[in-house]
Amino acid sequence: MFRKLTLTAVTTLAMATAPAIAAEVETEIEDYAFSFEGPFGSFDQMQLQRGLQVYTEICSACHGLELVAFRNLHDEGGPGLPEDQMRAYAEFYEVFDQSLFDGEGDFRPATPADKFPSSSLSNAPDLSLMAKARAGFHGPAGTGINQLVKGMGGAEYIASLMTGYHEEPECAADANMDGQYNVAFAAGGFPASCIDEHGHHMVPGSWISMSQPLYGDDVEYADGHSTDLEHVAQDVAAFLMWTAEPKMMARKQAGLTGVLFLTVLTVLLYLTNKRLWAPHKKKH
């Protein structure tokens, strides 16, 4: 009887028995009301700036944003930093430039054209697309109904993960598990003592190797916004949603313009059709 199941072991167990076993890994994802949700939603610029601060002061020690350029922090649809602040922010980072010292390369201060550094730890994932890579909501039996109503919920997943660290349940008291118990994380280790005789997990979530990064009051906001755990988690989640979808506002505007154009075109075609065929209908 082994004491811990790694991610590989859990997957193998699910595949070797029945598909229902994999579905038994439940998670607790909070449905936060982010301003950018819905067809008319938009990013809260102040929230993105606060999220950038949380990423800079806490998350960047391990995680990178290698697909995001510093110049994008100046975008209107994003954090909207003034150009001088954006340039000053970029200079806090160093990037390796292969063209320096006759091709041998050396580090230099970053410029707006450079991108954020990659993750500093080999096992720390890059966060550029994390909000799109993780789904917060899943439909019953894989139908995707919740995703149709609520969306993918990547930002909700990140915020819930940040607030999902809890004390170990009683069933794992003697399991000597590695990592920390998190009710929003389903892909980590899980003790056999928390699995019932039918193979179902008795508690939500699993054990995650990442130490708890946020505790509340981790940062001090210049705008005086609340720094409790839930608000800080939502701020950094919103920022990571922007890094994954930096052109979301432009895409929504283009979509709404297209819908409006098609609506007007439909009305014009209907009136044209009615005018063309009206004389012929009267003859019959």
Side-chain angles (χ1 to χ4, degrees):
M1 190 70 173
F2 49 86
R3 301 173 68 87
K4 181 178 70 171
L5 292 176
T6 62
L7 173 58
T8 303
V10 171
T11 305
T12 303
L13 175 64
M15 294 175 63
T17 54
I21 298 295
E24 292 299 327
V25 184
E26 297 181 357
T27 56
E28 295 182 1
I29 306 298
E30 183 72 24
D31 187 10
Y32 294 105
F34 286 105
S35 64
F36 50 80
E37 296 177 327
F40 303 103
S42 60
F43 285 118
D44 180 343
Q45 191 175 86
M46 293 303 297
Q47 184 177 46
L48 294 185
Q49 292 183 10
R50 294 194 300 268
L52 170 63
Q53 181 179 345
V54 177
Y55 168 79
T56 304
E57 297 184 13
I58 299 174
C59 307
S60 63
C62 300
H63 299 278
L65 289 174
E66 58 184 14
L67 300 181
V68 182
F70 291 108
R71 64 172 177 267
N72 296 131
L73 298 176
H74 178 58
D75 294 348
E76 288 187 8
L81 294 184
E83 186 172 356
D84 59 335
Q85 292 185 21
M86 176 269 294
R87 291 182 178 276
Y89 179 88
E91 291 177 355
F92 276 109
Y93 290 85
E94 286 190 335
V95 296
F96 189 79
D97 193 335
Q98 191 67 45
S99 65
L100 298 177
F101 289 99
D102 297 326
E104 294 184 3
D106 196 5
F107 285 93
R108 60 166 174 77
T111 67
D114 292 313
K115 295 181 179 180
F116 280 79
S118 57
S119 299
S120 60
L121 300 177
S122 59
N123 61 343
D126 184 83
L127 298 182
S128 303
L129 301 176
M130 187 59 66
K132 291 182 67 176
R134 296 291 182 269
F137 306 116
H138 300 274
T143 59
I145 295 177
N146 284 342
Q147 291 184 358
L148 180 64
V149 176
K150 301 178 181 179
M152 290 295 291
E156 279 84 356
Y157 171 82
I158 293 173
S160 297
L161 186 72
M162 296 295 98
T163 61
Y165 289 86
H166 291 282
E167 294 292 332
E168 288 190 340
E170 292 184 5
C171 62
D174 300 322
N176 193 27
M177 291 294 296
D178 293 330
Q180 293 182 267
Y181 176 58
N182 191 299
V183 297
F185 189 68
F190 205 89
S193 58
C194 292
I195 300 177
D196 64 21
E197 63 273 15
H198 301 293
H200 300 156
H201 289 197
M202 297 161 57
V203 293
S206 63
W207 274 252
I208 186 172
S209 60
M210 181 177 70
S211 300
Q212 183 172 349
L214 302 176
Y215 291 88
D217 297 326
D218 307 273
V219 295
E220 184 176 344
Y221 292 140
D223 62 358
H225 196 273
S226 173
T227 57
D228 63 59
L229 179 57
E230 283 210 350
H231 282 102
V232 174
Q234 290 179 60
D235 290 342
V236 72
F239 173 70
L240 292 178
M241 188 71 245
W242 171 77
T243 66
E245 284 275 17
K247 302 300 181 183
M248 180 189 290
M249 297 304 99
R251 179 168 54 81
K252 285 186 177 182
Q253 184 176 1
L256 290 173
T257 302
V259 169
L260 179 62
F261 173 78
L262 291 175
T263 301
V264 174
L265 180 62
T266 300
V267 173
L268 291 176
L269 288 175
Y270 170 77
L271 295 175
T272 301
N273 179 72
K274 188 175 181 180
R275 182 180 180 84
L276 289 175
W277 287 101
H280 300 283
K281 288 182 180 181
K282 291 180 179 179
K283 291 180 180 180
H284 298 283

